[in-house]
Amino acid sequence: MPESPESTPQPELFTWEFAADPYPAYAWLREHAPVHRTTLPSGVDAWLVTRYADARQALADGRLSKNPAHHSEQAHRSGRVGIPGERQADLMTHLLNIDPPDHTRLRRLVSKAFTPRRVAEFEPRVQQLTDRLIDGFAGRGSADLIHEFAFPLPIYAICDLLGVPPEDQDDFRDWAGMMIRHHGGQRGGVGRAVKRMRSYLAELIHRKRADLGDDLISGLIRASDHGEHLTENEAAAMAFILLFAGFETTVNLIGNGLFALLRHPEQRARLQESVLRGEKELLATGVEELLRYDGPVELATWRFATRPLSIGGVEIPVGDPVLVVLAAADRDPARFAEENTLDLARKDNPHLGFGHGIHYCIGAPLARLEGQAALATLLTRLPDLQLAADPAELRWRGGLIMRGLRELPVSFTAQQR
């Protein structure tokens, strides 16, 4: 018989201890308060949705808007909801902030960059980047796989996809690093990084109008010129959100995934043997399981009730923010057998790591490609890779939406060139 709420006190949320391992607290919420109103570290009151069935409902419910205008103008202006700095940099009109019909129009335009054919064509470039980054530390016998591998790989990949010239990509890496390190608010580094990125994207759009290529920004410009009514602000905001959403999620997918494998040696050995045999099935199911087990996005991005609605039997008033806890839903025992067990061969795995409904992650095919390439190449080239720190001492980045390690120190036998 489960314990009553009275005998099991509610765990404290949003502490450093919670950040290191939020799953026991989420299990308590699923059991005792599956739709739970809480005060976030920013001071905003919001509803946390933690059960799988309720999460799927909320992610696809048209009464929950992505537009911050349905909440509090003051909260967004002060950076307490949404992406820090986006309002000040005039980058509001992107897929994470809008609803149909504008969302439908913009998603249709950008979806052409993420077709299976386009992603497949990008695979050699991702492999080239992966090998180049490993070359940078393989001869040393040690590395920080966040800063030297998981972080730069998706930055350079998304820059290539957008059409950022190679000579400018290190600037993007610096700005992205500032955004990842200062995740808590818009002041200081993160605000400056967003504004610099906005200025650069506006300049790049102007340059590309005179010299269109086969990249995503050129494609957005062509669509605009052919009557799709894409404004310059929309193009800049779209490029920004693809960079912002497309790099940190993949950083965390690779980092969290490697951390999980290093802590589950039997699963890691099974995957390693499969990859060395040239098989792909376990690699594919393994990445999906890593997304479920300890995914890169802990909470789905902000939603706001435009009409009264009920989630899990709880009435949500108009204007209230709703945050779907993907990490909790993906370990719901009502949906996943042995929910706390990492099983890379798991077949029945409709995880919510990329969301659900019309806001399902448009870059999911690219993230899967990068995750598979990163894991397979590391396990092949550095077969005795080991964690070089006490897992309990590793630090997790603060922030509400994303879940990721600050560093992942490893050791291995140095490779001779």
Side-chain angles (χ1 to χ4, degrees):
M1 178 180 297
E3 294 179 294
S4 67
E6 291 76 18
S7 62
T8 309
Q10 178 183 330
E12 193 172 357
L13 305 178
F14 310 120
T15 63
W16 287 112
E17 293 77 14
F18 169 83
D21 183 11
Y23 296 102
Y26 288 148
W28 189 98
L29 288 176
R30 277 196 313 265
E31 179 68 24
H32 301 301
V35 182
H36 175 63
R37 187 175 173 88
T38 189
T39 300
L40 304 174
S42 64
V44 173
D45 290 332
W47 296 92
L48 302 180
V49 179
T50 54
R51 287 181 180 168
Y52 183 87
D54 296 336
R56 273 181 63 95
Q57 174 205 330
L59 291 171
D61 197 316
R63 295 169 294 181
L64 290 173
S65 169
K66 299 290 291 175
N67 190 338
H70 291 290
H71 178 48
S72 162
E73 176 80 11
Q74 182 178 1
H76 191 270
R77 189 185 304 114
S78 62
R80 293 189 295 155
V81 301
I83 298 172
E86 63 182 352
R87 175 184 288 276
Q88 285 72 17
D90 197 16
L91 289 169
M92 287 287 295
T93 313
H94 57 68
L95 291 175
L96 296 186
N97 274 351
I98 57 175
D99 305 313
D102 285 333
H103 176 270
T104 308
R105 173 176 62 88
L106 293 181
R107 187 178 177 98
R108 183 179 65 249
L109 291 176
V110 78
S111 64
K112 298 169 186 175
F114 295 103
T115 62
R117 179 188 64 81
R118 186 75 181 267
V119 171
E121 290 173 350
F122 203 53
E123 184 172 1
R125 176 56 176 158
V126 171
Q127 187 61 56
Q128 180 186 42
L129 288 169
T130 302
D131 283 320
R132 188 185 83 192
L133 291 168
I134 295 175
D135 287 344
F137 55 78
R140 204 169 66 225
S142 65
D144 176 354
L145 288 183
I146 299 299
H147 293 285
E148 296 182 75
F149 184 70
F151 176 72
L153 175 60
I155 280 288
Y156 292 137
I158 199 70
C159 280
D160 280 356
L161 195 68
L162 288 170
V164 177
E167 62 270 21
D168 295 341
Q169 292 185 5
D170 283 339
D171 288 335
F172 266 79
R173 180 175 174 169
D174 291 343
W175 297 330
M178 230 176 275
M179 293 165 69
I180 237 181
R181 287 191 297 271
H182 303 279
H183 222 266
Q186 71 186 58
R187 291 188 178 87
V190 66
R192 289 193 298 273
V194 172
K195 287 180 180 177
R196 288 171 186 165
M197 199 175 290
R198 170 67 175 88
S199 297
Y200 176 84
L201 288 170
E203 178 191 349
L204 183 62
I205 289 168
H206 281 299
R207 280 162 37 197
K208 284 191 175 292
R209 281 194 181 278
D211 185 20
L212 293 175
D214 190 34
D215 53 79
L216 179 53
I217 290 179
S218 295
L220 294 174
I221 293 169
R222 285 192 187 93
S224 180
D225 290 344
H226 285 83
E228 289 280 5
H229 309 298
L230 187 72
T231 68
E232 182 178 297
N233 273 356
E234 288 174 335
M238 184 69 72
F240 166 74
I241 201 58
L242 288 172
L243 179 72
F244 180 84
F247 91 88
E248 190 171 1
T249 51
T250 309
V251 173
N252 296 346
L253 166 58
I254 297 170
N256 297 3
L258 286 168
F259 183 55
L261 290 175
L262 292 172
R263 299 189 72 191
H264 293 81
E266 292 182 3
Q267 292 290 310
R268 175 258 187 89
R270 186 179 179 187
L271 179 59
Q272 203 157 359
E273 291 165 6
S274 175
V275 168
L276 288 171
R277 289 194 298 267
E279 299 168 353
K280 294 186 177 180
E281 183 178 0
L282 189 62
L283 181 62
T285 60
V287 166
E288 299 308 308
E289 174 68 346
L290 293 168
L291 282 159
R292 182 201 71 84
Y293 180 78
D294 196 12
V297 183
E298 190 167 342
L299 282 73
T301 49
W302 295 82
R303 285 166 168 78
F304 308 95
T306 59
R307 302 197 297 277
L309 74 152
S310 175
I311 303 176
V314 175
E315 299 301 316
I316 309 296
V318 172
D320 273 16
V322 174
L323 291 167
V324 177
V325 188
L326 305 179
D330 279 343
R331 290 210 191 183
D332 187 342
R335 182 58 189 85
F336 298 98
E338 298 184 60
E339 72 281 2
N340 293 317
T341 298
L342 180 69
D343 177 8
L344 298 182
R346 189 184 294 267
K347 300 290 188 185
D348 181 21
N349 191 4
H351 65 79
L352 300 176
F354 289 125
H356 173 65
I358 65 170
H359 290 284
Y360 182 84
C361 177
I362 200 167
L366 180 60
R368 287 185 170 106
L369 169 63
E370 292 177 274
Q372 291 181 24
L375 295 177
T377 309
L378 277 170
L379 293 177
T380 302
R381 294 190 54 182
L382 307 175
D384 63 346
L385 191 70
Q386 298 294 328
L387 190 62
D390 181 346
E393 294 180 357
L394 295 181
R395 297 176 301 156
W396 295 80
R397 286 194 301 274
L400 189 64
I401 301 298
M402 301 291 185
R403 172 167 172 77
L405 287 161
R406 291 176 181 264
E407 65 279 316
L408 184 59
V410 296
S411 60
F412 48 86
T413 300
Q415 306 294 304
Q416 300 299 319
R417 296 205 177 195

